[in-house]
């Protein structure tokens, strides 16, 4: 119930193409769904996040699509660039522990390679 | 000016030794975390502290002992290191009210030989 399943494990996209990464969750108590981007040798950094009361959120070339009934959400990267090559993690969290922490449950990660 | 800083960045040590990793954040956040990233890049929470109080201990062996002397610092001490402890350990911080963004350090790569 605490798991977040992510696919694909790796993805190769041509420059200018669309990258799509999918995640699914079971626990309906999750109420915050961020995507993190990690470059080699660096820590993960927040890319974009969504709450379940909206079905889509767009920030520049990055869009989260959220399907509450299916308990799925996805990241779309439009006009993918070589600089987008990184590992992407979906995650989920819920208000718990009396609101004293923002524990994130991460997906297994997707290694994206954008070829020039 | 680094927001979440960890030291050291690399540790190489023998099985059975004890090692510590230090973390400091200058964001004024009230919550700090330790996450472990294994060789398959899976990120798993180990501990969370709020204002120096332990909130989450995610079934981590008691060879791992976190310590938070104040809300800006969270250190991790590991006793009797085992081969399976080899991983990248990330410190993170967040403010629990409002935005839930976690800010991560650059990680400390621990290699146990």
């Amino acid at each position: 119930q605490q798991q977040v399943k992510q696919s694909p494990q790796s993805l190769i996209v041509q420059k200018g193409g669309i990258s799509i990464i999918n995640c699914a969750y079971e626990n309906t108590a999750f109420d915050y769904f961020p995507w993190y981007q990690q470059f080699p040798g660096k820590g993960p950094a927040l890319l974009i996040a969504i709450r379940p009361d909206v079905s889509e959120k767009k920030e520049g070339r990055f869009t989260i699509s959220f399907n509450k009934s299916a308990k799925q959400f996805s990241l779309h990267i439009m006009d993918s660039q070589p600089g987008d090559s990184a590992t992407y993690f979906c995650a989920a969290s819920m208000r718990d522990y009396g609101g004293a922490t923002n524990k994130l449950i991460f997906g297994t990660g997707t290694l994206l390679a954008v070829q020039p | 000016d680094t927001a979440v800083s960890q030291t050291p960045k690399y540790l190489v040590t023998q099985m059975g030794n004890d090692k510590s990793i230090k973390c400091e954040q200058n964001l004024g956040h009230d919550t700090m975390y330790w996450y472990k990233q294994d060789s398959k890049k899976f990120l798993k929470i180990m501990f969370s502290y709020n204002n120096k109080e332990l909130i989450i201990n995610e079934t981590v062996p008691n060879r791992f002992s976190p310590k938070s002397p104040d809300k800006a610092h969270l250190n991790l001490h590991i006793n009797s290191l085992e081969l399976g402890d080899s991983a990248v350990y990330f410190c993170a911080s967040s403010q629990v009210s409002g935005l839930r963004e976690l800010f991560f350090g650059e990680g400390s790569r621990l290699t146990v030989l």
Side-chain angles (χ1 to χ4, degrees), chain A residues 31 36 42 93 101-102, chain B residues 33 37 48 58 100 102 106:
Chain A
D31 64 351
Y36 278 74
K42 301 292 185 184
S93 80
T101 186
N102 292 331
Chain B
Y33 311 79
Q37 186 169 49
S48 175
E58 200 79 351
R100 297 198 209 171
L102 264 63
E106 294 206 333

Side-chain angles (χ1 to χ4, degrees), chain A residues 2 4 31-32 36 38-46 51 87 89 93-97 99-109 111, chain B residues 9 30-33 35 37 40-45 48-50 55-56 58 90 94-107:
Chain A
Q2 288 283 318
V4 178
D31 64 351
Y32 173 70
Y36 278 74
Q38 184 180 26
F39 293 105
K42 301 292 185 184
L46 179 66
R51 295 185 190 271
T87 301
F89 294 93
S93 80
M94 59 183 169
R95 283 295 183 204
D96 204 346
Y97 303 98
T101 186
N102 292 331
K103 172 184 171 181
L104 284 179
I105 307 294
F106 282 91
T108 47
L111 180 60
Chain B
K9 195 168 172 68
D30 49 21
T31 303
M32 296 185 72
Y33 311 79
Y35 274 81
Q37 186 169 49
K40 294 184 179 178
K41 297 239 171 187
F42 183 59
L43 274 162
K44 190 174 186 334
I45 190 166
S48 175
Y49 271 75
N50 178 278
I55 304 296
I56 296 175
E58 200 79 351
F90 285 99
S94 74
Q95 195 68 19
V96 288
S97 58
L99 297 176
R100 297 198 209 171
E101 180 176 359
L102 264 63
F103 291 80
F104 284 84
E106 294 206 333

Side-chain angles (χ1 to χ4, degrees), chain A residues 13 17 26 28-30 33 44 50 56 60 70-71 78 83 103 108 110 113-114:
Chain A
V13 172
E26 288 294 323
T28 54
F30 287 141
F33 301 89
I50 198 168
E56 186 174 282
K71 291 185 282 188
M78 311 300 286
K103 172 184 171 181
T108 47
T110 297
V114 181

Side-chain angles (χ1 to χ4, degrees), chain A residues 3-109:
Chain A
Q3 276 188 322
V4 178
K5 295 181 181 177
Q6 182 171 347
S7 63
Q9 191 174 354
S10 62
L11 183 60
I12 300 174
V13 172
Q14 295 297 316
K15 179 181 174 183
I18 302 173
S19 304
I20 302 174
I21 306 170
N22 301 299
C23 282
Y25 64 97
E26 288 294 323
N27 192 338
T28 54
F30 287 141
D31 64 351
Y32 173 70
F33 301 89
W35 285 89
Y36 278 74
Q37 180 187 54
Q38 184 180 26
F39 293 105
K42 301 292 185 184
L46 179 66
L47 189 61
I48 187 172
I50 198 168
R51 295 185 190 271
D53 51 346
V54 297
S55 59
E56 186 174 282
K57 183 173 180 181
K58 185 175 180 179
E59 288 183 2
R61 297 184 294 108
F62 301 92
T63 300
I64 300 179
S65 297
F66 188 83
N67 185 329
K68 190 174 180 178
S69 60
K71 291 185 282 188
Q72 294 175 347
F73 58 111
S74 59
L75 176 69
H76 295 235
I77 306 174
M78 311 300 286
D79 186 26
S80 299
Q81 299 297 312
D84 297 331
S85 297
T87 301
Y88 292 81
F89 294 93
C90 62
S93 80
M94 59 183 169
R95 283 295 183 204
D96 204 346
Y97 303 98
T101 186
N102 292 331
K103 172 184 171 181
L104 284 179
I105 307 294
F106 282 91
T108 47

Side-chain angles (χ1 to χ4, degrees), chain B residues 3 7 12 17 21 33 38-40 43 51 53 55 57 60 62-63 67 74 78 95 100 110:
Chain B
T7 53
V12 181
N17 284 351
I21 306 171
Y33 311 79
D38 63 22
S39 58
K40 294 184 179 178
L43 274 162
N51 277 320
E53 182 184 346
I55 304 296
N57 179 341
V60 177
N62 58 15
R63 297 183 296 103
K67 279 193 172 53
L74 180 60
I78 316 170
Q95 195 68 19
R100 297 198 209 171
L110 171 66

